[in-house]
Amino acid sequence: MRKFVYQFSEGSKDMKVLLGGKGANLAEMTNIGLPVPPGFTIGTDACKDYNENDQTLSEEIFEEVLTHLKLLEEKTGKQFGSNENPLLVSVRSGAPVSMPGMMDTILNLGLNDKAVQGMIHQTKDARSSLDSYRRFIQMFGDVVRGIPSYKFEEALSLIKKQKGYAQDTELTPDDLEKLITTYQELYLEHGSEPFPQDPLTQLRLAVQSVFDSWMNPRAVVYRRLNDIDPNFGTAVNIQAMVFGNTGNKSGTGIAFTRNPSTGEKAVFGEFLINAQGEDVVAGIRTPEDISKLKSHLPDAYHELMGTCELLENHYLDMQDIEFTIEKEKLFVLQTRNGKRTAQASVQVAVDLVHEGKISRDEAIKRIDTKQIDQLLHPTFEKKALEKGEVLATGLPASPGAASGKIYFDASEAVAAADLGQKVILVRNETSPEDIEGMAKSEAILTAHGGMTSHAAVVARGMGKCCVAGCSEIDINEKEKTIVTNSGITLREGDAVSLDGSTGKVYLGEILLTEAEIGGHFDELMEWVNEVKQLDIRVNADTPNDLLTAIHFGAEGIGLCRTEHMFFHEERIAYVRQMIVAESLEERKRALAHLKEMQKEDFIQLFRIAKGRPVNIRLLDPPLHEFLPKAEKDLERLAQDTGKTLAEIKKRVNELAESNPMLGHRGCRLAVTYPEIYKMQAEAIMESAVQIHDEGQKVFPEIMIPLVSSKEELAFVKQEIKESVQAIFDRERVLLPYDIGTMIEIPRACVTADEIAKEAQFFSFGTNDLTQLTYGFSRDDAGKFLPSYSERGILETDPFQTLDTAGVGALVEMAVSRGRMANPNMKMGVCGEHGGDPRSIHFFHKLGLKYVSCSPFRVPIARLAAAQVVLEEREQLQKV
Ligand code: PEP
Ligand code: MG
């Protein structure tokens, strides 16, 4: 017989795939002697079985559950369904990978009209017993029958209003009895059958609902956003209830062993007296800081602090712990590695190394490359911020800064973001249904909830700025308004700015500046450098980009797109003159201007690079990006060239191409007009000579784009070499430099052994290589690729993450053929994939020398390059 159900004492923290994260950790904590209420876990295999059998819970599995339930009754001395001494349980989901707020929880299961009397008899506390019952009906109705929670909340508010109560805790047993009757009526009305009084029926339905919730749309979206395997399934944890809502000596809360926003080493958390767990997370009541627990319940507080230390030392990572105190006795309900901001992630990892708890390698492995983006988040520009008008202050729930237009509904936020607007999602409190709206917004603002509310936890995970619990504003989601304390009214589409690090909300838009990193991050990155083998270069065309990149640790320029240096209005005029020139003379006139501009730029880049390699790619202008279209640009070109408007239009027409991406671009330009690359080669070398004369080191790499054959490269290279030699002869110097080629056409990959004879380096242009391998136009793929991902035809966008099976195979072929001809050939990547962690893993395994990416991805690339080395070492150890 297969085993599906496990007592907590049968599991361990290493059994996450079978028991889910929550179940595995409950087992671990039970086994190390922590005060965990007893219970058992229905493993993920049961969820798979359920899904394979058309969402049916087999009798075999349910029988096994009942056997374990008997054991639980023996342990607690209570009976399931008893109207004297009832056993109540919580039923909670727990997937192998943590999915906060995604799955459903039911508390107080086992209560019915009779059992609640038994509970009153036993606890001598009618109020908390009845309160538990009404919560159970609400949660059960919501999770099992899909009855919206607000229906129950409305009934609750109505009674409170009638009685003039401010707090839920003011409800008397009488009020609660009435409320229970109303709740049962609501259940019957919306659930089309009476609320089930049989606890075993309750249990069966609850387990089925947890399994069903694995496939609910919000869970599916969360898994998609976080790359979680959809085949895992969820486990179900069934655990004896403990009660945080039994008076002022009881409570419930969440404790992080370190600060999840900053990483500071100090227990951080929140609690509510006289409440049950979901009150803290749901954000309906605003919780108190954990330090206040010390005066309320000192013994429980000290035990909790001891537990935090013990758990962190056991797991060797920052823990996120859920606890309940029942009549002064502490119970631990859950522990897991705490979600944290990138800043906290880095600080905690580095601190743990300093504390001698983990190795440097372990610290590197723990940083999520996706999160590093957060560290590089912008903040508000100081001067602009001083002028900013503060509307309100809430909790600094997730760092960063953002400006945008406010939307009060997640789907409207998505629609506005899809139209290109910067959007701030404003809600009283968020719920998992809002997940897509949150993902597409710049930032999130809520009026209710604490630092561990749904909005706060999810925003931190997404690396999004969030101000939560901003009670100084009144949000009316129906009217779509925010009213501030000072009486200012904002409506949908109005702009606000949020600072997720201070919790401040500002009126209007505020200028942003780029992020600054340092301290712990720099230390971690030094360790990264000792491990990684790939060099990380930058794709940079401006001094600013290069400065930023060097600050982030770039080891040279891997791609300077010279045509990008001409996008400026004044400069593009000369490029256009060059393109429309009809004679050598005309072209040379335009080129002379361009040469001077190029020299200025190259000199600046060489100075900043200080001897690091600077890879300059010769012109590769797809014509459609450069030919003038607007009437005023055509007129300007006519003026500049001394031609008539009609002549210019005719020439532009002649030059227009049907497929510019496959047209007269790259080195083809130099085959027809060698003087273009000659000019660029002169500009590069004359600048290099000047830098050399200034006593500085300089190392240019001249890169020829869009090469498809050895002969083509040989022709273009010859012209360049002659120009360079002429400068060396004239200046009586000899500087080191390399001439190489981009490999971005499939034919170049196939004939790489031939091409290698003419090249000192290869740089893979994986953007064009992807375009030409798939035959997907880079400019138009956005129109059809989304359907490919929706239909599951493409798992990832091949322009972002390298298609290793197709494009990658061509790269691999080029590498091995290139090395056959030239074993020491320097090879790197300069397409967008050079900044993508998964692609970087592939390039490392091919033994390339470097990857090159945009400045802000340099730290991510460094980290990914180190992580792949560590991964390889681990695999080797296993063999
Ligand atoms: C490439 O094609 O990958 C590349 C780096 O060049 P570009 O994007 O400029 O075509
Ligand atoms: Mg290209």
Side-chain angles (χ1 to χ4, degrees):
M1 205 177 78
R2 281 175 73 189
K3 182 172 168 67
F4 288 101
V5 187
Y6 301 79
Q7 287 287 305
F8 289 164
S9 54
E10 292 179 281
S12 80
K13 70 176 177 2
D14 304 320
M15 291 166 69
K16 283 204 172 89
V17 173
L18 181 63
L19 301 179
K22 201 173 285 164
N25 287 332
L26 282 167
E28 186 78 10
M29 290 197 293
T30 302
N31 290 330
I32 57 176
L34 285 172
V36 177
F40 56 89
T41 303
I42 309 174
T44 52
D45 284 351
C47 183
K48 283 176 209 145
D49 184 89
Y50 179 81
N51 283 327
E52 278 160 18
N53 290 302
D54 302 323
Q55 275 75 42
T56 322
L57 186 63
S58 78
E59 281 317 307
E60 181 197 348
I61 294 175
F62 200 62
E63 279 302 315
E64 206 184 330
V65 169
L66 295 185
T67 309
H68 284 264
L69 198 60
K70 273 265 156 321
L71 285 174
L72 190 57
E73 287 179 332
E74 282 164 24
K75 270 191 194 147
T76 54
K78 299 179 177 187
Q79 280 87 46
F80 205 47
S82 155
N83 50 16
E84 282 172 10
N85 187 18
L87 168 66
L88 304 189
V89 295
S90 63
V91 177
R92 307 166 90 192
S93 63
V97 178
S98 147
M99 295 170 58
M102 285 293 106
M103 310 292 284
D104 298 306
T105 295
I106 298 177
L107 302 179
N108 307 324
L109 188 137
L111 277 176
N112 56 24
D113 293 349
K114 283 186 186 153
V116 75
Q117 295 309 323
M119 189 179 174
I120 294 171
H121 171 75
Q122 193 193 25
T123 60
K124 312 272 180 294
D125 187 345
R127 204 209 67 82
S128 76
S129 304
L130 291 162
D131 188 48
S132 299
Y133 190 23
R134 70 101 192 150
R135 284 165 189 275
F136 172 48
I137 301 170
Q138 172 168 355
M139 230 182 279
F140 193 86
D142 174 19
V143 173
V144 175
R145 289 287 171 244
I147 306 168
S149 255
Y150 75 86
K151 298 251 175 219
F152 296 104
E153 292 294 337
E154 275 174 3
L156 176 69
S157 301
L158 188 67
I159 276 207
K160 278 164 69 182
K161 204 167 169 188
Q162 283 166 351
K163 300 275 175 157
Y165 303 150
Q167 301 285 338
D168 294 4
T169 46
E170 290 172 62
L171 291 165
T172 65
D174 245 15
D175 298 330
L176 286 162
E177 266 175 8
K178 282 201 196 92
L179 197 56
I180 286 165
T181 310
T182 313
Y183 274 19
Q184 293 201 6
E185 283 164 10
L186 269 173
Y187 188 96
L188 177 62
E189 193 182 318
H190 293 275
S192 62
E193 61 187 18
F195 174 75
Q197 291 289 325
D198 171 25
L200 290 185
T201 306
Q202 294 173 357
L203 183 64
R204 184 193 286 271
L205 289 172
V207 171
Q208 286 173 355
S209 296
V210 172
F211 286 158
D212 287 336
S213 73
W214 176 254
M215 292 309 293
N216 79 23
R218 65 195 197 209
V220 171
V221 168
Y222 188 90
R223 285 198 289 274
R224 184 159 48 78
L225 287 175
N226 291 282
D227 280 340
I228 297 173
D229 185 346
N231 298 316
F232 273 147
T234 180
V236 186
N237 299 291
I238 294 171
Q239 188 174 27
M241 283 294 302
V242 283
F243 297 94
N245 56 339
T246 44
N248 286 337
K249 300 281 178 211
S250 302
T252 187
I254 292 169
F256 286 84
T257 57
R258 298 182 191 226
N259 186 315
S261 273
T262 62
E264 186 199 351
K265 190 182 178 193
V267 173
F268 172 92
E270 301 172 324
F271 73 101
L272 278 170
I273 284 290
N274 200 6
Q276 278 197 329
E278 81 278 10
D279 295 340
V280 181
V281 184
I284 293 160
R285 280 167 62 191
T286 302
E288 291 189 76
D289 190 274
I290 199 84
S291 58
K292 301 229 172 82
L293 186 64
K294 194 173 180 177
S295 49
H296 276 297
L297 296 165
D299 289 348
Y301 173 80
H302 289 302
E303 196 183 342
L304 177 65
M305 292 302 118
T307 304
C308 285
E309 198 179 327
L310 189 148
L311 281 174
E312 189 178 283
N313 289 338
H314 187 76
Y315 284 92
L316 296 173
D317 199 358
M318 183 248 273
Q319 295 297 294
D320 164 1
I321 298 162
E322 271 179 38
F323 64 91
T324 283
I325 299 165
E326 181 179 321
K327 304 209 165 109
E328 294 187 71
K329 165 132 187 56
L330 175 75
F331 290 95
V332 187
L333 301 184
Q334 179 174 330
T335 192
R336 57 182 170 195
N337 292 340
K339 295 236 175 241
R340 60 203 82 178
T341 61
Q343 188 194 342
S345 186
V346 170
Q347 171 138 359
V348 169
V350 172
D351 282 350
L352 286 172
V353 172
H354 290 164
E355 291 162 27
K357 290 180 181 160
I358 62 170
S359 65
R360 289 177 177 189
D361 289 356
E362 179 61 28
I364 293 170
K365 278 195 276 187
R366 282 192 186 176
I367 311 297
D368 180 356
T369 44
K370 276 196 228 128
Q371 259 201 328
I372 290 299
D373 257 345
Q374 276 185 37
L375 277 183
L376 316 170
H377 272 331
T379 45
F380 290 125
E381 209 262 327
K382 248 190 171 165
K383 283 251 156 54
L385 189 62
E386 279 164 17
K387 289 189 210 129
E389 183 183 345
V390 179
L391 287 175
T393 305
L395 300 171
S398 183
S403 296
K405 294 188 169 21
I406 53 174
Y407 284 86
F408 295 79
D409 174 283
S411 50
E412 281 166 18
V414 170
D418 284 346
L419 290 174
Q421 279 191 30
K422 288 197 185 307
V423 169
I424 306 246
L425 182 64
V426 178
R427 308 279 291 150
N428 271 314
E429 61 224 33
T430 61
S431 68
E433 278 85 352
D434 294 330
I435 198 99
E436 209 139 27
M438 296 172 79
K440 292 230 164 146
S441 299
E442 303 296 309
I444 296 129
L445 171 63
T446 67
H448 302 163
M451 293 289 279
T452 47
S453 64
H454 180 266
V457 171
V458 174
R460 272 205 293 275
M462 287 178 172
K464 257 182 218 294
C465 162
C466 174
V467 173
C470 186
S471 52
E472 294 176 9
I473 55 172
D474 210 11
I475 296 174
N476 187 328
E477 290 172 5
K478 261 198 199 130
E479 299 291 331
K480 301 189 174 151
T481 56
I482 295 180
V483 180
T484 67
N485 265 351
S486 56
I488 297 175
T489 302
L490 297 173
R491 292 172 206 288
E492 183 178 85
D494 287 349
V496 299
S497 298
L498 304 187
D499 188 336
S501 309
T502 62
K504 287 200 163 60
V505 182
Y506 298 87
L507 183 65
E509 295 203 17
I510 297 177
L511 201 65
L512 295 166
T513 53
E514 299 308 344
E516 270 194 42
I517 48 177
H520 283 82
F521 184 74
D522 287 347
E523 192 171 355
L524 179 86
M525 290 315 248
E526 275 171 32
W527 303 341
V528 159
N529 278 359
E530 284 163 25
V531 176
K532 74 175 181 59
Q533 288 161 9
L534 277 168
D535 289 347
I536 310 299
R537 296 200 194 176
V538 64
N539 293 356
D541 326 310
T542 66
N544 244 346
D545 280 358
L546 181 56
L547 277 169
T548 309
I550 288 177
H551 175 64
F552 287 155
E555 292 159 283
I557 294 186
L559 172 64
C560 168
R561 291 177 165 105
T562 48
E563 66 282 358
H564 283 197
M565 298 169 128
F566 298 121
F567 278 150
H568 194 272
E569 207 181 330
E570 273 316 299
R571 294 178 163 206
I572 203 165
Y574 293 110
V575 180
R576 286 178 175 152
Q577 288 172 33
M578 175 193 80
I579 293 172
V580 300
E582 285 174 285
S583 68
L584 184 62
E585 283 320 301
E586 269 183 55
R587 199 168 308 105
K588 280 195 164 164
R589 259 203 306 277
L591 285 172
H593 288 284
L594 292 174
K595 181 176 171 184
E596 287 316 303
M597 294 166 181
Q598 294 255 274
K599 277 180 71 177
E600 271 171 42
D601 292 344
F602 294 150
I603 286 169
Q604 286 195 60
L605 291 180
F606 288 147
R607 275 202 188 117
I608 298 167
K610 295 204 168 74
R612 295 176 180 90
V614 174
N615 181 312
I616 297 169
R617 186 189 57 197
L618 302 185
L619 268 174
D620 177 13
L623 273 188
H624 62 311
E625 285 178 25
F626 287 87
L627 280 177
K629 290 180 199 79
E631 197 68 15
K632 77 169 189 349
D633 292 334
L634 289 161
E635 278 166 12
R636 159 106 200 245
L637 189 54
Q639 224 175 40
D640 287 347
T641 52
K643 297 185 181 174
T644 66
L645 186 60
E647 281 169 336
I648 284 295
K649 283 187 175 168
K650 180 167 165 278
R651 180 75 180 138
V652 166
N653 261 340
E654 278 167 13
L655 287 168
E657 294 174 328
S658 310
N659 289 308
M661 273 297 192
L662 303 176
H664 195 194
R665 57 175 283 217
C667 65
R668 296 161 202 170
L669 211 59
V671 171
T672 41
Y673 308 124
E675 57 277 12
I676 296 178
Y677 280 10
K678 274 169 141 346
M679 173 283 282
Q680 289 197 287
E682 284 169 15
I684 293 168
M685 274 313 155
E686 284 174 14
S687 312
V689 169
Q690 182 172 331
I691 296 291
H692 171 79
D693 288 348
E694 289 171 10
Q696 270 211 55
K697 281 199 186 128
V698 56
F699 186 69
E701 295 171 340
I702 299 177
M703 180 153 78
I704 300 165
L706 227 67
V707 166
S708 58
S709 72
K710 178 184 142 199
E711 292 73 18
E712 192 183 29
L713 177 59
F715 172 80
V716 176
K717 193 178 103 181
Q718 190 51 35
E719 299 280 332
I720 293 168
K721 283 196 99 159
E722 280 169 15
S723 305
V724 171
Q725 196 53 48
I727 291 166
F728 287 166
D729 291 345
R730 188 183 74 209
E731 303 289 335
R732 295 174 189 281
V733 285
L734 208 59
L735 295 181
Y737 75 102
D738 285 343
I739 302 186
T741 175
M742 292 197 66
I743 300 286
E744 52 184 342
I745 289 183
R747 191 180 190 284
C749 294
V750 178
T751 61
D753 46 346
E754 284 297 303
I755 291 177
K757 292 177 188 153
E758 292 292 335
Q760 284 165 296
F761 64 83
F762 279 176
S763 176
F764 290 95
T766 47
N767 304 333
D768 273 310
L769 193 56
T770 300
Q771 164 169 264
L772 296 168
T773 302
Y774 268 106
F776 289 165
S777 155
R778 282 164 71 170
D779 293 340
D780 302 307
K783 296 190 182 121
F784 53 84
L785 281 189
S787 310
Y788 277 62
S789 80
E790 268 160 37
R791 295 182 208 288
I793 299 171
L794 273 179
E795 200 194 314
T796 46
D797 176 349
F799 287 103
Q800 281 178 33
T801 299
L802 192 81
D803 153 48
T804 50
V807 182
L810 280 171
V811 174
E812 195 171 355
M813 178 191 286
V815 169
S816 74
R817 293 191 180 182
R819 283 195 187 131
M820 266 189 322
N822 179 355
N824 298 320
M825 168 83 80
K826 181 167 52 176
M827 296 191 197
V829 174
C830 65
E832 279 307 299
H833 306 85
D836 171 69
R838 264 163 69 184
S839 314
I840 289 172
H841 281 220
F842 180 79
F843 298 135
H844 165 87
K845 290 190 173 143
L846 289 184
L848 299 190
K849 173 147 176 56
Y850 69 87
V851 293
S852 188
C853 57
S854 58
F856 277 87
R857 292 172 94 185
V858 167
I860 298 167
R862 288 168 71 193
L863 189 58
Q867 285 177 341
V868 64
V869 174
L870 297 176
E871 199 179 283
E872 267 181 351
R873 281 188 201 156
E874 219 166 86
Q875 276 160 3
L876 268 177
Q877 273 165 4
K878 277 189 197 146
V879 176

